[in-house]
Amino acid sequence: MSQRVLLEMDIQGLKEVVKGYGYPAYRGKQIWDWLYKGTFEITDMKNLPWQLQERLAMDFVTGIPSIIKKRVSKFDDTIKYLLKYHDGSIVECVRLVYRFGTTVCVSSQVGCRMGCTFCASAKGGLVRSLSSGELLAQVLTVQRDTGKRVSNVVIMGSGEPLDNFDNAVGFIRMLGHKEGLNIGQRHITLSTCGLVPEIIRLADEGLQITLSVSLHAADDATRARLMPVAKKYKIEEVLEGCRYYAQRTGRRVTFEYALVEGRNDRPEDAQRLASLLKGMLCNVNLIPVNPVEGSGYRQPDRSRVREFKDMLTQRGIAVTVRREMGRDIAGACGQLKAGYIKEGNIGN
Ligand code: SAH
């Protein structure tokens, strides 16, 4: 029988497990406390009887991945991790330091099947989705490695979180556990390429997280060239889903817009985007595209980015330009992993 994952379980579940082995329920809470304090080896859980440790180690893995590569930016304390799970699956995870706190950007899947043409993670397709516990494990791993409390989480790494809906929502609820990490929903952002039925489902979950939607174009034809998912859902349907989300949750939706030279950075694009979003409870985050090898995409120059931003601002849209962080450490999506595989390492 395959081993189960300890981090998948809540306190009650852990209590049931130890009771099943003939131990008192409080032993379950002890296991929980060790994991959340960053003790990841069952044999290091010192207050557990050794017989219980052995039994647990037979039936369970913790779900914590090992750090196989770590790069620290010289410029801004950004840390990029390459993490390997017990089945050999590899994902990236990034720690970012802002004035307001420490953010971890987690990957929701190993690979991705959305196929965005500018994205390094899309290249090998989807390998598998990560479980809630495995998502949580990314945050716990960073917190232990840095010794600093993680205050914010963005589900914005590799993968499409709404293509892994139940585990993403389970993860969000786990983050908020008072006896766990205690990260409130207002400190969590989920980024999606725009799967409309799942956006609606998410709105109905009654969560208070920030929804971030990758728009990247202001007309369907341009969007479809950048993102195959645009062939399935028209921009108008995506926006309708976002309006529903904003109305249901009272939360402002963020639209991500990766600026790609000569593709979606014309004044007409800015104009059209402004009219699409007019009157909506939202803001726009412009991201000069990170050129991924082989894509042929380039960043527009600074003045063009500025011009695009100004056109939106003048039309009453709240807009920010994403600060580039950790550029010296392959900070962009999927690039560290791509480099690792290219160096001759085998990875999922
Ligand atoms: N699948 C989700 C989350 C993962 S990608 C989504 O599509 O939103 C997180 C964000 O990074 C998305 O806005 C994505 O479009 C963007 N992104 C991916 N590769 C990029 C690149 N090379 N340059 C700039 N932004 C990129």
Side-chain angles (χ1 to χ4, degrees), residues 49-68:
W50 66 268
Q51 298 93 328
L52 175 57
Q53 291 180 359
E54 282 199 347
R55 187 64 209 268
L56 277 171
M58 254 184 335
D59 294 346
F60 288 91
V61 290
T62 56
I64 296 286
S66 53
I67 299 173
I68 54 173

Side-chain angles (χ1 to χ4, degrees), residues 84-100:
K84 187 174 180 173
Y85 289 100
H86 65 280
D87 70 339
S89 293
I90 295 171
V91 298
E92 297 187 7
C93 171
V94 188
R95 190 285 296 258
L96 302 136
V97 181
Y98 295 100
R99 252 167 305 155
F100 57 77

Side-chain angles (χ1 to χ4, degrees), residues 112 114 116 118-120 155-161 191-194 212-214 216 227 256 258 287-292 322 332-333 335:
C112 184
M114 297 299 135
C116 299
F118 49 82
C119 178
I155 313 174
M156 234 183 233
S158 300
E160 169 48 48
S191 178
T192 175
C193 64
S212 195
V213 175
S214 301
H216 301 330
M227 312 172 70
E256 291 154 282
I287 319 163
V289 75
N290 271 294
V292 166
R322 188 174 299 176
C333 322
Q335 291 184 353

Side-chain angles (χ1 to χ4, degrees), residues 22-171:
Y23 292 89
Y26 74 88
R27 295 287 185 200
K29 176 65 164 55
Q30 287 178 326
I31 298 168
W32 169 279
D33 290 339
W34 281 117
L35 289 170
Y36 280 85
K37 273 190 302 202
T39 297
F40 299 153
E41 291 293 333
I42 293 171
T43 46
D44 289 340
M45 299 181 177
K46 295 293 179 215
N47 57 4
L48 301 183
W50 66 268
Q51 298 93 328
L52 175 57
Q53 291 180 359
E54 282 199 347
R55 187 64 209 268
L56 277 171
M58 254 184 335
D59 294 346
F60 288 91
V61 290
T62 56
I64 296 286
S66 53
I67 299 173
I68 54 173
K69 211 167 185 145
K70 175 179 166 184
R71 288 208 196 156
V72 184
S73 170
K74 290 195 279 293
F75 304 138
D76 53 24
D77 273 350
T78 299
I79 308 177
K80 186 128 193 182
Y81 295 92
L82 209 54
L83 305 175
K84 187 174 180 173
Y85 289 100
H86 65 280
D87 70 339
S89 293
I90 295 171
V91 298
E92 297 187 7
C93 171
V94 188
R95 190 285 296 258
L96 302 136
V97 181
Y98 295 100
R99 252 167 305 155
F100 57 77
T102 297
T103 297
V104 173
C105 173
V106 301
S107 290
S108 56
Q109 295 178 314
V110 185
C112 184
R113 59 179 177 148
M114 297 299 135
C116 299
T117 54
F118 49 82
C119 178
S121 307
K123 286 195 170 153
L126 177 67
V127 177
R128 72 173 175 92
S129 282
L130 294 174
S131 67
S132 311
E134 287 175 324
L135 286 167
L136 189 75
Q138 294 177 41
V139 183
L140 287 172
T141 300
V142 173
Q143 187 159 279
R144 177 170 80 170
D145 186 62
T146 58
K148 288 214 180 74
R149 180 177 182 264
V150 173
S151 56
N152 297 67
V153 171
V154 296
I155 313 174
M156 234 183 233
S158 300
E160 169 48 48
L162 296 187
D163 187 36
N164 184 17
F165 190 94
D166 291 340
N167 292 330
V169 170
F171 166 56

